[in-house]
């Protein structure tokens, strides 16, 4: 199975990306986690992205706040799917990071999840890998069935109250 890279711009982002790491591990997806900065270690970030496919990665998740250029820099140097997680780390409540992550030029796509949306980033990465991995696709289908069951239970509980 291909690996997923979780790259964060700062170690202070770790608590916010930890749900993605846990979700990937719970799905049996190998994950590597690194701190790289689009601004402070641009050569390292570019080299990582350029070698990611040959290093066995299938998806890159990039989390950054403020002027969140990390996902775009990584996407510019790979043909792998890149998923950006805008981090709420400034007085703009993450809107700056969201706009920086989602506003990519033509030819450099970055899939973007919600501000602090690490769990959805992991699920999206798994769905991408699941395109060519039937066992992973089956696990994801079971997850969706479980979510549906839980919503049904909550609806039934509400119906009893009203």
């Amino acid at each position: 199975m291909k690996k997923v890279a979780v790259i964060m711009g700062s170690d202070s982002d770790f608590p916010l990306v930890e749900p993605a790491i846990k979700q990937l591990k719970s799905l049996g997806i190998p994950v590597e986690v690194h701190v790289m900065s689009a601004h402070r270690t641009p050569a390292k970030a570019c080299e990582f992205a350029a070698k990611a496919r040959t290093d066995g990665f299938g998806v890159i998740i990039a989390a950054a706040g403020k002027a969140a250029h990390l996902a775009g820099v990584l996407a510019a140097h790979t043909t792998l799917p890149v998923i950006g997680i805008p981090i709420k780390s400034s007085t703009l409540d993450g809107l700056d990071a969201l706009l920086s992550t989602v506003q990519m030029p033509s030819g450099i796509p970055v899939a973007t999840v919600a501000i602090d949306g690490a769990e959805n980033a992991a699920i999206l990465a798994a769905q991408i890998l699941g395109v060519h991995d039937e066992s992973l696709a089956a696990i994801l289908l079971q997850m969706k069935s479980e979510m549906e069951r839980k919503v049904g239970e909550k609806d039934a509980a509400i119906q009893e109250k009203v």
Side-chain angles (χ1 to χ4, degrees), residues 94-120:
L95 183 58
D96 49 349
L98 174 64
L99 294 174
S100 294
T101 305
V102 78
Q103 295 291 339
M104 290 294 109
S106 182
I108 310 297
V110 171
T112 307
V113 296
I115 296 168
D116 294 347
E119 190 173 349
N120 269 353

Side-chain angles (χ1 to χ4, degrees), residues 124-145:
L124 180 56
Q127 289 178 322
I128 292 167
L129 295 177
V131 168
H132 297 290
D133 185 327
E134 291 301 321
S135 62
L136 182 55
I139 292 169
L140 291 164
L141 185 60
Q142 180 60 39
M143 275 180 54
K144 291 201 181 246
S145 294

Side-chain angles (χ1 to χ4, degrees), residues 40-86:
R40 295 182 185 98
T41 61
K44 181 179 177 183
C46 294
E47 180 183 3
F48 179 87
K51 293 174 34 183
R53 183 180 295 277
T54 58
D55 287 345
F57 293 96
V59 179
I60 298 172
I61 295 173
K66 297 185 181 179
H69 297 122
L70 182 59
V73 166
L74 295 171
H77 291 87
T78 187
T79 57
L80 292 176
V82 175
I83 302 167
I85 306 172

